[in-house]
Amino acid sequence: MPLILLHVLMMILGALCILAGVSFASLLRSRSWWLKAHRVAGAAGAAGLVAGFTAAFFMIWRMKLEHFDHPHTWAGAVTVFLGVAAPIIGYLQFRLRNRRAQLRLWHRRAGYALLIVMPLALLSGLWAAGLL
């Protein structure tokens, strides 16, 4: 499978999982299973973003191009960072109980920031590919 296709598919999968996780947390909180589904979707989303980032990294490396020379690369890096940080912070709020309120606040902030940066990464990627 070409690395560009792997990059696109993994990023789309990661983004959809993250959106599912946000949906579970915001729309289905009254259900008993929402937190488990939120956790699984967040972890799967982070894994998809990391896989997509890794594919992009090796694609650029094989083509002998410069890393981080386009707005898409920066938006993508921030997206991956937030996509990994949000689940980690969310996990920590259940382990570090004395910091629970502060960690919950940062978990939500990372999630909101991710919802802003993720579409920017998508649009700049379409622009970089010449589709916009």
Side-chain angles (χ1 to χ4, degrees), residues 8-130:
V8 169
L9 290 176
M10 289 295 101
M11 288 302 197
I12 289 172
L13 177 66
L16 290 175
C17 287
I18 287 167
L19 292 174
V22 169
S23 297
F24 293 140
S26 60
L27 302 174
L28 300 173
R29 208 171 262 246
S30 62
R31 312 286 181 154
S32 62
W33 47 265
W34 80 268
L35 183 59
K36 187 172 188 171
H38 176 69
R39 287 177 172 173
V40 169
L49 293 180
V50 169
F53 181 82
T54 304
F57 181 86
F58 283 110
M59 177 181 64
I60 298 300
W61 178 70
R62 284 178 63 191
M63 296 170 67
K64 295 183 173 47
L65 298 173
E66 288 293 321
H67 291 279
F68 300 104
D69 67 341
H70 191 275
H72 174 65
T73 58
W74 289 100
V78 171
T79 298
V80 172
F81 173 78
L82 291 171
V84 171
I88 290 172
I89 297 168
Y91 172 80
L92 288 175
Q93 74 179 328
F94 293 100
R95 298 291 177 239
L96 305 174
R97 295 192 185 273
N98 59 334
R99 301 232 181 226
R100 184 177 224 168
Q102 186 179 22
L103 288 168
R104 180 175 289 160
L105 175 67
W106 283 104
H107 172 67
R108 288 181 176 177
R109 286 179 177 172
Y112 293 141
L114 183 57
L115 291 177
I116 293 168
V117 175
M118 206 165 41
L120 297 175
L122 172 67
L123 291 172
S124 63
L126 292 172
W127 178 51

